[in-house]
Amino acid sequence: MTDLQDLAARIRYVLVRSSHPGNIGSAARAIRTMGFGRLELVAPHRFPDPEASALAAGADDVLAQAGIHADLVDGLAGSSLALGLSARRRGVNLPEISPREAAQQALAAAARGEQVALVFGNERTGLENDELARCHAMVRIPSVEDFSSLNLSQAVQVMAYELRVAMLGDDAPLSAPVREDPPADAAQMEQFYRHLAQTLDEIEFHKGREPTTIMLRLRKLFQRAQPDERELRVLHGILADAQRMARLASGK
Ligand code: SAH
């Protein structure tokens, strides 16, 4: 494999709850033209479907190899950087970047050997807040404000094109230094967030307040830090001790 194929293989396009099989086919074609092949489908409404195959226009290999997942966490498995594409800002307080910046970040991570996910939402509703909360940044294609929403597969095309241009450019960070301990992947982060939420509950941190906002804020903090596996183990250890102390204090 060439360097470019190596890089492309570490980048996946994740389509969440797509309604129209035609868009899945068009997205397959879009990424295939730009040298990519990894499509992951999270709870597609209809797939496989003849309409998907028709619009793939020959990119059948991409459709045949597409992974199908029940939820986004599964679709992100093994990836350590997730970038969520959204036309609107939503309630989630994530850093907002352009497709070009996203391409640079994605390639830098892929060049370090990490796996990267570009996440696209449902045609009508886009990405939900809890889906964006699993992303490290929000990517907005700079469309006009009063008509901002692109067709799903066209948004995929724009992102794939930016990645292709960045990969072909001289400034592609192909020789980025490998991080000694790669960041934990999405499943490990989810497990940590569950432990954190459970511990906050047990130490009665919330005091009657809704835990959702604080959990989103903490997610943002840890997404930014991108802890590696060893660091996560330390954090789990601290949480386990806090849980033990809470149980002692409550006499259980
Ligand atoms: N009404 C929805 C539009 C969904 S379009 C919304 O406002 O979010 C389907 C998907 O295409 C989106 O979830 C997003 O992933 C992508 N998309 C469409 N237009 C986009 C834009 N201007 N910037 C980034 N992503 C966009």
Side-chain angles (χ1 to χ4, degrees):
M1 270 207 293
T2 65
D3 277 354
L4 286 192
Q5 281 170 327
D6 272 340
L7 284 178
R10 293 190 199 115
I11 298 177
R12 72 184 77 167
Y13 293 76
V14 183
L15 307 187
V16 184
R17 296 176 288 102
S18 311
S19 306
H20 303 298
N23 276 336
I24 298 176
S26 298
R29 178 182 187 176
I31 68 171
R32 185 72 176 77
T33 56
M34 298 294 128
F36 299 94
R38 273 197 73 182
L39 194 62
E40 305 292 337
L41 306 173
V42 176
H45 293 192
R46 265 170 47 211
F47 187 80
D49 189 276
E51 222 178 307
S53 308
L55 279 148
D60 306 284
D61 48 342
V62 176
L63 288 186
Q65 287 157 28
I68 302 179
H69 311 276
D71 62 36
L72 178 56
V73 176
D74 279 347
L76 295 179
S79 71
S80 54
L81 178 67
L83 303 172
L85 278 93
S86 180
R88 281 184 291 145
R89 258 204 143 269
R90 311 269 164 171
V92 181
N93 192 10
L94 275 180
E96 184 181 312
I97 57 177
S98 69
R100 201 154 294 176
E101 289 171 294
Q104 290 298 337
Q105 287 190 18
L107 278 192
R112 292 192 297 264
E114 296 170 26
Q115 295 210 30
V116 179
L118 298 154
V119 187
F120 298 82
N122 167 271
E123 289 87 337
R124 201 171 50 77
T125 53
L127 287 171
E128 302 288 347
N129 283 344
D130 70 315
E131 292 162 347
L132 274 174
R134 279 157 181 80
C135 298
H136 294 85
M138 192 197 109
V139 186
R140 206 179 68 78
I141 298 166
S143 47
V144 294
E145 227 159 76
D146 64 341
F147 203 78
S148 63
S149 178
L150 279 74
N151 164 271
L152 168 60
S153 68
Q154 292 173 352
V156 171
Q157 184 76 76
V158 169
M159 197 57 242
Y161 169 75
E162 284 293 349
L163 277 160
R164 174 86 177 152
V165 170
M167 280 164 81
L168 294 176
D170 301 333
D171 47 349
L174 292 176
S175 55
V178 176
R179 239 179 90 164
E180 221 169 278
D181 298 294
D185 77 5
Q188 292 166 325
M189 290 308 293
E190 275 318 301
Q191 194 191 4
F192 168 67
Y193 293 132
R194 275 196 298 276
H195 194 182
L196 180 60
Q198 196 188 349
T199 308
L200 291 181
D201 206 33
E202 287 174 27
I203 65 173
E204 291 171 27
F205 177 78
H206 301 304
K207 304 182 184 60
R209 287 172 309 221
E210 215 352 81
T212 317
T213 316
I214 185 73
M215 279 314 297
L216 284 175
R217 205 163 281 164
L218 288 169
R219 264 179 190 278
K220 195 182 157 210
L221 167 68
F222 287 105
Q223 301 274 53
R224 197 166 65 226
Q226 292 203 286
D228 59 41
E229 283 181 33
R230 206 179 310 178
E231 290 163 337
L232 270 197
R233 274 200 295 279
V234 175
L235 290 169
H236 276 298
I238 294 172
L239 293 178
D241 275 354
Q243 288 177 305
R244 193 168 51 80
M245 297 310 283
R247 277 171 213 146
L248 276 178
S250 67
K252 275 181 213 153

